[in-house]
């Protein structure tokens, strides 16, 4: 929602304009925050992270601690 402020700040730090209107044809970047998309992306990321952690956790739970530490 504050993307134009960020663009102006970064442009000031590097000493030039980030998105010149003559090149890109924009006087600012449009930023629309759709809360439905935010919630869907958040749920998807949480679901995927839980899904990819199930296999290592399941494999570790089946290990005997003595056997697992024997070769460490």
């Amino acid at each position: 929602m504050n993307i134009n402020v960020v663009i102006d700040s970064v442009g000031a730090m590097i000493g030039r304009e980030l998105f010149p209107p003559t090149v890109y044809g924009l006087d600012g970047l449009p930023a629309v925050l759709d809360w439905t998309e935010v919630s869907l992306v958040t749920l998807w990321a949480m679901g995927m992270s839980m899904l990819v952690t199930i296999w290592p956790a399941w494999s570790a739970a089946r290990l005997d601690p003595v056997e697992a530490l024997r070769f460490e």
Side-chain angles (χ1 to χ4, degrees), residues 2-70:
N2 294 323
I3 191 69
N4 291 326
V5 175
V6 172
I7 290 172
D8 293 339
S9 300
V10 171
M13 286 191 313
I14 64 172
R16 65 185 185 116
E17 195 172 6
L18 275 181
F19 300 106
T22 57
V23 176
Y24 295 102
L26 298 171
D27 59 349
L29 288 180
V32 177
L33 188 60
D34 184 13
W35 288 106
T36 306
E37 290 180 7
V38 170
S39 61
L40 286 175
V41 168
T42 302
L43 289 173
W44 178 261
M46 290 175 65
M48 290 302 293
S49 62
M50 290 183 73
L51 184 67
V52 299
T53 56
I54 288 174
W55 176 258
W58 183 61
S59 298
R62 293 185 330 171
L63 284 177
D64 181 29
V66 174
E67 290 295 324
L69 292 175
R70 178 175 295 189

